[in-house]
């Protein structure tokens, strides 16, 4: 049994020695998180202040190594009743291949604040297999969804 979200004992999460998952935002190493996300394909060049605001308004999950080093992260944007959007999920390269991504997603989908949600969504270009293991499926009828999409918003210069 491993400590999981909010440092509660979680029976349905496999133990991964030397790692902890917490939702305590004081444990977030913003430099590590910003460096990774600002270099990602989904939020390239995101300004630090924008990321800080996003974190402030989200339920965040930090994967920490034994020395409390930030090695993974995810944030959930939710109304806490019917809908949630999973974003900014990552495990740093040096800690991949240890089952941390699976453990992180399992912790999120089993978290008390996700219980009973009608829909949880995410967007990914390369991790469909990971998310499918936890019940995420392609949209059957994508024509019902719409979006305002500004993929280069953080690269645009303001005049």
């Amino acid at each position: 049994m491993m400590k999981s979200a909010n440092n509660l004992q979680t029976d349905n999460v496999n133990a991964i020695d030397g790692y902890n998952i917490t939702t305590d935002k004081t444990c977030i190493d913003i430099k590590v998180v910003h460096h990774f996300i600002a270099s990602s394909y989904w939020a390239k060049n995101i300004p630090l202040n924008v990321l800080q605001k996003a974190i402030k308004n989200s339920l965040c999950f930090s994967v920490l190594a034994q020395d409390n080093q930030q090695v993974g992260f995810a944030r959930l944007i939710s109304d806490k009743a019917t809908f949630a959007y999973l974003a900014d999920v990552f495990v740093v390269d040096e800690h991949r291949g240890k089952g941390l991504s699976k453990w992180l997603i399992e912790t999120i989908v089993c978290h008390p604040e996700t219980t009973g949600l009608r829909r949880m969504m995410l967007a990914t270009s390369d991790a469909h297999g990971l998310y499918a293991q936890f019940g995420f499926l392609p949209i059957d009828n994508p024509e019902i969804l719409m979006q305002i999409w500004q993929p280069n918003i953080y690269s645009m210069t303001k005049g």
Side-chain angles (χ1 to χ4, degrees):
M1 190 169 3
M2 184 69 180
K3 289 186 177 182
S4 183
N6 287 327
N7 295 316
L8 299 172
Q9 294 294 326
T10 305
D11 293 331
N12 62 346
V13 177
N14 295 323
I16 299 179
D17 292 333
Y19 294 94
N20 185 40
I21 295 178
T22 182
T23 57
D24 181 350
K25 290 181 184 174
T26 65
C27 295
I28 296 172
D29 183 336
I30 192 65
K31 289 181 184 179
V32 170
V33 173
H34 182 251
H35 175 73
F36 192 96
I37 294 173
S39 301
S40 71
Y41 69 83
W42 66 86
K44 188 152 188 71
N45 299 321
I46 187 170
L48 178 60
N49 66 319
V50 172
L51 181 60
Q52 287 171 319
K53 183 177 182 180
I55 287 170
K56 178 182 176 188
N57 293 296
S58 302
L59 174 60
C60 298
F61 296 80
S62 291
V63 182
L64 306 175
Q66 194 166 11
D67 60 359
N68 289 324
Q69 173 191 9
Q70 181 101 40
V71 300
F73 179 81
R75 69 186 182 89
L76 195 68
I77 304 102
S78 179
D79 64 10
K80 300 181 182 181
T82 64
F83 179 81
Y85 185 85
L86 182 58
D88 296 336
V89 179
F90 73 86
V91 171
V92 296
D93 291 341
E94 304 81 51
H95 292 269
R96 291 184 182 168
K98 300 177 182 182
L100 297 176
S101 294
K102 289 180 184 178
W103 183 40
L104 177 58
I105 301 308
E106 182 175 8
T107 300
I108 294 166
V109 299
C110 293
H111 191 275
E113 290 198 25
T114 65
T115 303
L117 294 176
R118 186 178 66 240
R119 177 173 285 173
M120 188 182 316
M121 297 183 74
L122 60 83
T124 184
S125 69
D126 58 359
H128 297 80
L130 167 66
Y131 298 113
Q133 295 173 59
F134 300 97
F136 288 91
L137 301 169
I139 304 294
D140 284 336
N141 47 354
E143 65 278 0
I144 69 168
L145 299 175
M146 297 180 73
Q147 66 180 349
I148 295 174
W149 177 235
Q150 300 178 73
N152 299 316
I153 193 166
Y154 308 127
S155 299
M156 296 155 91
T157 57
K158 307 222 182 211

